[in-house]
Structure formats: structure tokens, C-alpha cells
Amino acid sequence: MKIAVDAMGGDHAPAEIIKGSIRAANKFTEITIILVGSREKIMECIPGTGLPPNMEIVEAGEMIEMDEHPAAAVRNKKDSSIVVGTRLVHEGKAGAIVGAGSTGAQMAAALFGLGRIKGISRPGIATIIPTLHRGKLLVDVGANPDAKPENLLQFAMMASIYSELVLGIEKPRVALLNIGSEEGKGNELVKEAYELLKKSSLNFVGNIEGRDIPAGNADVIVCDAFVGNIVLKTMEGLASSFAKLLKEKLTANALRKAGALLVKPGLKEFAQDLDYSQYGGAPLLGVNGTSIICHGSSDETAIFHAIRVAKECIERGIIEKIAMEVEKFGQINHDKT
Amino acid sequence: MKIAVDAMGGDHAPAEIIKGSIRAANKFTEITIILVGSREKIMECIPGTGLPPNMEIVEAGEMIEMDEHPAAAVRNKKDSSIVVGTRLVHEGKAGAIVGAGSTGAQMAAALFGLGRIKGISRPGIATIIPTLHRGKLLVDVGANPDAKPENLLQFAMMASIYSELVLGIEKPRVALLNIGSEEGKGNELVKEAYELLKKSSLNFVGNIEGRDIPAGNADVIVCDAFVGNIVLKTMEGLASSFAKLLKEKLTANALRKAGALLVKPGLKEFAQDLDYSQYGGAPLLGVNGTSIICHGSSDETAIFHAIRVAKECIERGIIEKIAMEVEKFGQINHDKT
């Protein structure tokens, strides 16, 4: 099994990307990791001991910057690391691509390079968010707003399969993110999506409100990308603001500093429980190949886990299962109507 | 000046509502507080010393439950506390109504009982959210999803006035909540709203993302009620989950418990900084009268501050200023097109 990694994408690329890749290569000796990017820049980050035997480099001279228009950049920069890496997947030379660069570009590269799974009208990004009861999936957090009810249904179906096969949750509870728990609440989009989800064969548990997300009351939380993106970033922003404020308060005087020293292991555990990096990347669901999207700020640990997630997606045949289910699913929904 | 308070609405009604009202009556001796609700139930909560001289009771035999359909309940229960209290404002017998019951019912009561300010197409609720740099306004967090771009513009205008007059912020920075900071990002609604805001006379600073909310980078954050409601509740849910997890981690063993004791004042300050209740209620902007909507879980402190906010709204003539601005504003925008 080979996994391609975009060595050039991300706030801490290429150093942290390469560190994470080396860690994964050493841990999962049965896989080969292909670093995609400028060979010269990659070699500068390789330790004196050299690359592990199960790592390769594929040259890609260009890279897509964060502020470029994703679709245009993907079309114009055919030699960019994310386009080349995605091409490896399309050509069967790699089983998955992992990237931490521009999310839009990675999505565009996958759409153009891999295409959609038959029957899927729009791919979605499912990200894992930390809650009081393990990490849960929030889908869609992508860059395509103005979703249709059918899109939300398909996001739910795909994320449910992912939750079951990769996260090991039996009969994942699927909930619709809404402004009230009762049926009939919300905007036009979610009202129609509610009806579709209710009729589906998914384990749909109804609406949940924002305050239920961190409580972990659902395994798959479905929403439009506009809402999902804002919720995700609000949670990240709040976590970082809390951390900043807490640190300020706990080090305001000598007494508190002494106390902070005693509770330090607790604070560390607290931070670890809320740490995004342990969950690895977010799968781009619905494209015809495995593409794992990492946070721009990904460090060694995040990349390591993203590669682990990519490996599990391949091993457990996520793409095939989605393709199979979307066919069966269409059939079921067709029967019901 | 008289301020009506719905004594029956809220999770901790009537006890906490009455406590908060008495505290406000004792502090602001120049105003009279009218408790609206069941005289019998109110009297059970009045301490032996009796009501302060500047407090009155107005009987209202019914109350609207949280699960009732707001508009229908307001129409059918003409003797409910929130309807009676709102009527007092309409009849000029009170300058404002403060309530912590069903938000939808308070909004419906205001719409039916007070009507909209001329030129305002839809009222919005502006709530204060704690950030690293004071509390900022998030608007709309109401119950009416599917807003139009014009609604967002008016929310921005009204919240900007409120921010200036009640929160004392000069030239409030108005931002549009979006999934990217660049112009042209987002769904159809925000793209069109962006254009309107850019053309307006407001101090529009462009798009902000979810992660910028807690950082306090804007004074007024504008969004559709669907997004606003979800963001607000996600923030509340996250704060409460963080508190729970932190407590668990800091009391896991004897050593940590000792440390926790030393940092306790710091933790208390931390909690206070994030406490919603200090900010009082959220103004329902755009109706022709002052209606302050409190969180369902409001305690004595929250009610006290909500009454303070109501008093400031009246003193500073928010309604009149909005009416004046909406006329001028329409004029300015008309000139520009």
C-alpha cells in the first residue's frame, strides 16, 4: 500500500509534514509513503540518517498558495504538489493523498483528478470534533455553501459509513444541526433535509442544537458547509481564546503559579482531550479516491494520524462501501417514494 | 420611568426574576419596576420585608410555556404575562419589557403588540457574547431563519446604533460572519449582504471567520438567525463542556485538588470573564418599543443587568435613534444607487 503526502502544503510545511511522514513510515512498515514536492526542499529537511526504506520522493516543482483561486490554480499548475499527488491516486500509484495546504485546492484537485463516486452529486468534508464523549463527525465543513437537501442526505450517508468503518461506531446516530430540537424548526434547507433523513435507512435521531455538539450527543452531525465551517472555526477560536485567558488567570501571581504547577498534568490532559491533531485529517467524502484533508496548522502528530486515517480508509474500503451504499441507498429511497 | 418584568418566564421563575428585580429596584431608585404575573405566585417569593416602594405588581393569570407555538400562544393567551407586559409598553404605562421566557413568544408579543419601526422589514435579536476584548454584539440570533440581504443590512445598522449608544463604542466595527475573509466568499446571502454593507455608511470592516469571534476583532458581527443561533449555542455548549472537563481534570487526585485550591481565584475570574449574565439581556431591535430578551437560565444577576440595559435603552432613546437613522439610512442608500 502506498500513500502520497503533499510535502509542500501547510503552515509548517515541509518540516512538520516530513517529520510526521517519517514517524508514520517507521510505525507502519507495511506501507510506503510518497513525499510529493520539491526534491530539493524536501531533502533539506531529511535527517542525517536519510529516508526510511519505505519512503519515496516524487518531484513536483510547483505549489498552490493559500490565496490562489482553487479551481484556477489546479487547472494552471499541473505540476503542483497537490495535483501531482492526486494524480498518483488516480493512476493507481498511490492508494490515498494526504494534504495540509489549501483545502479548496485539494478539493478541486480531487474533483478534477479523481471525479465523483457515481450517484454522489457533491462531495463533502467530514471533520472530527472533540467532544466530552470521544470525537464526533461534523459534515460538511467544506468550501461549497448553498447545499441542497439531497446533498445533506448524502453527506449523512457517507459520514455514517465512515463513522462505522473507520471510527468503529455501530449504527452511528445521525443528527441534523438546527436551531431547535423539534421537527419543523429551521430554515427551508434543513426542513426539507429533515424529511429526507427521516425517510432514509440511516439511524436518524432528529435535530440537535449547537449546545449539543460539544456534549457528544450524536455521532454524525449534518449541516451545510457554510454553517459547518463557521461552527468548526468558532469552536477552534473559542478553545484558543479559553486557553489564552486561562493561562493569564493562572499565572497572575506567585500563589497561582505554584498552584498551576500542581495542576499542570491536569491541564495537559485537558488540552490533550481537546486536541484536534490526535484525530488526523478530515476525509473528503464522495470523490472516487481517498483524499485526506488536514488542518493548515498541522504538526508532526496531526500528519502522522492523517496518514494512519488514510491507511484505515484504504484497508476498510471506504470508497467501495460508499459506492455500494449509494447504489443500494438510491434503491431504498426509490422504493419508499 | 417604569420597566415591566415578566415574572413568570424563565427556568428559575419567578424566584430569581423577583430577586433580580428587587436588586434593580433598590439600586435604581429613580425607576419603578412592574412585576407582571400571577400575584399569588409572586407574593410567595416576596421576602418578609415586603416589596420596595418602587415596585408594583400587575396581574396576568396565564403564562406561555416553552413548547407552545409562539404566534398562536400570543394570539390565544391575551392574559399571559409576556402579552400583558408588552401591552403596558404599547400603552405607555412602561418604557420597556424584560423577559426570560420563550424567546419566540416575546418576539411575537412585541411584533403584534408594538409593531415594527417604520422602514424595518424584520426585527433582529442582538446578543452580547464574551470575547477576549469585552463583550461584542452578535446579530441576528433570533428565531426567523431565511433572512434576506436587506435584513442583514438593517440588523447591522441597528446593532451599530446599540453598540454606540448603550455599549459606548465609538464607530463600531461591523463585520459579516463568513467562511473566508476575502470578498466574494460565502453563500448567496452573504455575498449580496457584503455589497450592501460596503455601500452603506456603516463602519464595515469586511468578512470575519468563526475563529475571529472570540478574539473580539469586531464590535458588531452580522449573520442570519440560523447561523447566529447555532454559533451562540455552540459557544455556550463549549463553555459548559470545557468547565466540566476542566473540573474533572483538576480534581482527579489529591495533589491536583491542592493545586486547584491555590488557583481557585484565577478560575473564578476566568469564569466571570466568560459569564453571560453580567451582560444582561439581548435587545430585540426593530420593534417599536424596548423589549429585552433574557436567556432562559437567567438568574438574579442576569435579570438585574437586563433591567439596567432596559433603563439605558430608554434613557438613550434607542428606538427614536433607530427610527431616525433608518429614515436617513434609506435616504443615503437611495442616493448612492
mmCIF file of all heavy atoms in Angstrom, chain B residues 2 6 20 32 35 49 57 60-61 84 114 127 131 169 225 231 254 262 265 290 302 305 315 329 332:
data_model
loop_
_atom_site.group_PDB
_atom_site.id
_atom_site.type_symbol
_atom_site.label_atom_id
_atom_site.label_comp_id
_atom_site.label_asym_id
_atom_site.label_seq_id
_atom_site.Cartn_x
_atom_site.Cartn_y
_atom_site.Cartn_z
ATOM 1 N N LYS B 2 -40.791 53.625 34.095
ATOM 2 C CA LYS B 2 -41.261 52.332 34.583
ATOM 3 C C LYS B 2 -40.773 51.217 33.659
ATOM 4 O O LYS B 2 -40.757 51.371 32.441
ATOM 5 C CB LYS B 2 -42.793 52.309 34.629
ATOM 6 C CG LYS B 2 -43.375 53.210 35.729
ATOM 7 C CD LYS B 2 -44.864 52.988 35.899
ATOM 8 C CE LYS B 2 -45.373 53.775 37.110
ATOM 9 N NZ LYS B 2 -46.762 53.421 37.454
ATOM 10 N N ASP B 6 -41.437 40.386 33.079
ATOM 11 C CA ASP B 6 -42.250 39.169 33.058
ATOM 12 C C ASP B 6 -41.778 38.273 34.193
ATOM 13 O O ASP B 6 -40.726 37.647 34.104
ATOM 14 C CB ASP B 6 -42.081 38.470 31.699
ATOM 15 C CG ASP B 6 -42.832 37.144 31.635
ATOM 16 O OD1 ASP B 6 -43.469 36.761 32.636
ATOM 17 O OD2 ASP B 6 -42.784 36.495 30.571
ATOM 18 N N GLY B 20 -33.833 39.469 41.207
ATOM 19 C CA GLY B 20 -33.118 40.409 40.328
ATOM 20 C C GLY B 20 -33.844 41.736 40.235
ATOM 21 O O GLY B 20 -33.223 42.812 40.195
ATOM 22 N N THR B 32 -39.368 52.664 38.470
ATOM 23 C CA THR B 32 -40.343 51.777 39.101
ATOM 24 C C THR B 32 -40.386 50.478 38.307
ATOM 25 O O THR B 32 -40.412 50.512 37.072
ATOM 26 C CB THR B 32 -41.742 52.420 39.090
ATOM 27 O OG1 THR B 32 -41.694 53.602 39.894
ATOM 28 C CG2 THR B 32 -42.796 51.472 39.650
ATOM 29 N N LEU B 35 -43.747 44.124 38.235
ATOM 30 C CA LEU B 35 -43.705 42.674 38.050
ATOM 31 C C LEU B 35 -45.025 42.242 37.428
ATOM 32 O O LEU B 35 -46.099 42.540 37.966
ATOM 33 C CB LEU B 35 -43.515 41.968 39.405
ATOM 34 C CG LEU B 35 -42.163 42.155 40.095
ATOM 35 C CD1 LEU B 35 -42.198 41.530 41.483
ATOM 36 C CD2 LEU B 35 -41.047 41.540 39.260
ATOM 37 N N THR B 49 -39.823 41.529 54.352
ATOM 38 C CA THR B 49 -39.761 42.995 54.368
ATOM 39 C C THR B 49 -40.707 43.619 53.347
ATOM 40 O O THR B 49 -40.885 44.838 53.323
ATOM 41 C CB THR B 49 -38.325 43.465 54.050
ATOM 42 O OG1 THR B 49 -37.892 42.766 52.874
ATOM 43 C CG2 THR B 49 -37.375 43.147 55.172
ATOM 44 N N ILE B 57 -47.106 45.342 41.205
ATOM 45 C CA ILE B 57 -47.465 44.080 40.554
ATOM 46 C C ILE B 57 -48.651 44.347 39.630
ATOM 47 O O ILE B 57 -49.588 45.042 39.999
ATOM 48 C CB ILE B 57 -47.855 43.008 41.601
ATOM 49 C CG1 ILE B 57 -46.652 42.686 42.501
ATOM 50 C CG2 ILE B 57 -48.363 41.730 40.920
ATOM 51 C CD1 ILE B 57 -46.968 41.761 43.668
ATOM 52 N N ALA B 60 -51.388 38.983 35.806
ATOM 53 C CA ALA B 60 -51.527 38.311 34.496
ATOM 54 C C ALA B 60 -51.707 36.838 34.825
ATOM 55 O O ALA B 60 -50.778 36.192 35.321
ATOM 56 C CB ALA B 60 -50.308 38.545 33.622
ATOM 57 N N GLY B 61 -52.886 36.332 34.558
ATOM 58 C CA GLY B 61 -53.258 34.999 35.035
ATOM 59 C C GLY B 61 -52.639 33.841 34.260
ATOM 60 O O GLY B 61 -52.460 32.751 34.788
ATOM 61 N N VAL B 84 -49.286 40.745 28.482
ATOM 62 C CA VAL B 84 -49.724 41.862 29.332
ATOM 63 C C VAL B 84 -48.573 42.870 29.514
ATOM 64 O O VAL B 84 -48.766 44.081 29.386
ATOM 65 C CB VAL B 84 -50.220 41.349 30.700
ATOM 66 C CG1 VAL B 84 -50.487 42.512 31.660
ATOM 67 C CG2 VAL B 84 -51.473 40.497 30.524
ATOM 68 N N LEU B 114 -46.399 45.776 19.616
ATOM 69 C CA LEU B 114 -45.690 47.056 19.439
ATOM 70 C C LEU B 114 -45.521 47.423 17.965
ATOM 71 O O LEU B 114 -45.402 48.598 17.625
ATOM 72 C CB LEU B 114 -44.296 46.987 20.076
ATOM 73 C CG LEU B 114 -44.225 46.585 21.554
ATOM 74 C CD1 LEU B 114 -42.784 46.358 21.988
ATOM 75 C CD2 LEU B 114 -44.878 47.653 22.430
ATOM 76 N N THR B 127 -27.321 39.797 20.570
ATOM 77 C CA THR B 127 -26.882 39.314 21.872
ATOM 78 C C THR B 127 -25.417 39.653 22.096
ATOM 79 O O THR B 127 -24.648 39.760 21.140
ATOM 80 C CB THR B 127 -27.108 37.794 22.010
ATOM 81 O OG1 THR B 127 -26.999 37.440 23.387
ATOM 82 C CG2 THR B 127 -26.092 37.006 21.218
ATOM 83 N N THR B 131 -15.884 38.025 24.744
ATOM 84 C CA THR B 131 -14.679 37.780 23.942
ATOM 85 C C THR B 131 -13.470 38.191 24.776
ATOM 86 O O THR B 131 -13.623 38.670 25.899
ATOM 87 C CB THR B 131 -14.669 38.593 22.632
ATOM 88 O OG1 THR B 131 -14.280 39.943 22.924
ATOM 89 C CG2 THR B 131 -16.022 38.600 21.950
ATOM 90 N N ILE B 169 -19.357 52.286 22.364
ATOM 91 C CA ILE B 169 -18.259 52.084 21.411
ATOM 92 C C ILE B 169 -18.388 53.070 20.257
ATOM 93 O O ILE B 169 -19.408 53.114 19.567
ATOM 94 C CB ILE B 169 -18.260 50.631 20.888
ATOM 95 C CG1 ILE B 169 -17.897 49.703 22.054
ATOM 96 C CG2 ILE B 169 -17.271 50.458 19.737
ATOM 97 C CD1 ILE B 169 -18.200 48.262 21.810
ATOM 98 N N ALA B 225 -30.150 34.532 11.302
ATOM 99 C CA ALA B 225 -30.534 33.972 12.604
ATOM 100 C C ALA B 225 -30.201 32.488 12.723
ATOM 101 O O ALA B 225 -29.888 32.011 13.813
ATOM 102 C CB ALA B 225 -32.033 34.174 12.842
ATOM 103 N N VAL B 231 -24.258 29.395 16.292
ATOM 104 C CA VAL B 231 -22.965 29.845 16.824
ATOM 105 C C VAL B 231 -23.081 30.141 18.319
ATOM 106 O O VAL B 231 -22.259 29.691 19.123
ATOM 107 C CB VAL B 231 -22.476 31.107 16.076
ATOM 108 C CG1 VAL B 231 -21.399 31.840 16.859
ATOM 109 C CG2 VAL B 231 -21.939 30.725 14.700
ATOM 110 N N ALA B 254 -5.360 14.025 44.846
ATOM 111 C CA ALA B 254 -5.183 14.929 45.986
ATOM 112 C C ALA B 254 -4.248 16.102 45.648
ATOM 113 O O ALA B 254 -4.508 17.250 46.029
ATOM 114 C CB ALA B 254 -4.640 14.148 47.178
ATOM 115 N N LEU B 262 -5.316 26.560 45.193
ATOM 116 C CA LEU B 262 -4.471 27.756 45.033
ATOM 117 C C LEU B 262 -4.870 28.593 43.819
ATOM 118 O O LEU B 262 -4.765 29.816 43.832
ATOM 119 C CB LEU B 262 -2.988 27.349 44.908
ATOM 120 C CG LEU B 262 -2.355 26.690 46.132
ATOM 121 C CD1 LEU B 262 -0.919 26.260 45.825
ATOM 122 C CD2 LEU B 262 -2.363 27.629 47.333
ATOM 123 N N PRO B 265 -9.040 31.346 42.844
ATOM 124 C CA PRO B 265 -9.441 32.728 42.487
ATOM 125 C C PRO B 265 -9.254 32.993 40.995
ATOM 126 O O PRO B 265 -10.049 33.696 40.375
ATOM 127 C CB PRO B 265 -8.486 33.589 43.325
ATOM 128 C CG PRO B 265 -7.999 32.703 44.420
ATOM 129 C CD PRO B 265 -7.965 31.330 43.841
ATOM 130 N N THR B 290 -39.121 49.075 23.637
ATOM 131 C CA THR B 290 -37.954 48.338 24.124
ATOM 132 C C THR B 290 -38.365 46.998 24.716
ATOM 133 O O THR B 290 -39.157 46.942 25.657
ATOM 134 C CB THR B 290 -37.197 49.184 25.159
ATOM 135 O OG1 THR B 290 -36.777 50.396 24.520
ATOM 136 C CG2 THR B 290 -35.984 48.450 25.681
ATOM 137 N N ALA B 302 -28.415 38.154 36.123
ATOM 138 C CA ALA B 302 -28.765 38.394 34.716
ATOM 139 C C ALA B 302 -29.985 39.306 34.629
ATOM 140 O O ALA B 302 -30.014 40.222 33.794
ATOM 141 C CB ALA B 302 -29.026 37.066 34.013
ATOM 142 N N HIS B 305 -29.060 42.914 35.475
ATOM 143 C CA HIS B 305 -28.377 43.604 34.376
ATOM 144 C C HIS B 305 -29.307 43.852 33.190
ATOM 145 O O HIS B 305 -29.159 44.840 32.480
ATOM 146 C CB HIS B 305 -27.135 42.829 33.945
ATOM 147 C CG HIS B 305 -25.993 42.996 34.898
ATOM 148 N ND1 HIS B 305 -25.301 44.173 35.035
ATOM 149 C CD2 HIS B 305 -25.460 42.142 35.809
ATOM 150 C CE1 HIS B 305 -24.370 44.034 35.960
ATOM 151 N NE2 HIS B 305 -24.443 42.805 36.454
ATOM 152 N N GLU B 315 -33.255 55.604 28.406
ATOM 153 C CA GLU B 315 -32.554 56.880 28.640
ATOM 154 C C GLU B 315 -31.883 57.409 27.383
ATOM 155 O O GLU B 315 -31.844 58.605 27.138
ATOM 156 C CB GLU B 315 -31.476 56.697 29.728
ATOM 157 C CG GLU B 315 -32.026 56.628 31.135
ATOM 158 C CD GLU B 315 -30.955 56.173 32.131
ATOM 159 O OE1 GLU B 315 -29.825 55.815 31.706
ATOM 160 O OE2 GLU B 315 -31.266 56.164 33.330
ATOM 161 N N PHE B 329 -30.823 56.615 6.688
ATOM 162 C CA PHE B 329 -30.108 55.497 6.099
ATOM 163 C C PHE B 329 -30.708 55.125 4.742
ATOM 164 O O PHE B 329 -30.001 54.964 3.756
ATOM 165 C CB PHE B 329 -30.248 54.328 7.065
ATOM 166 C CG PHE B 329 -29.233 53.263 6.891
ATOM 167 C CD1 PHE B 329 -27.940 53.452 7.335
ATOM 168 C CD2 PHE B 329 -29.567 52.058 6.316
ATOM 169 C CE1 PHE B 329 -26.997 52.452 7.202
ATOM 170 C CE2 PHE B 329 -28.632 51.053 6.184
ATOM 171 C CZ PHE B 329 -27.349 51.255 6.635
ATOM 172 N N ILE B 332 -29.693 57.791 2.402
ATOM 173 C CA ILE B 332 -28.299 57.675 1.956
ATOM 174 C C ILE B 332 -28.154 56.571 0.920
ATOM 175 O O ILE B 332 -27.569 56.744 -0.135
ATOM 176 C CB ILE B 332 -27.372 57.370 3.163
ATOM 177 C CG1 ILE B 332 -27.278 58.595 4.054
ATOM 178 C CG2 ILE B 332 -25.979 56.947 2.683
ATOM 179 C CD1 ILE B 332 -26.637 58.327 5.388
#
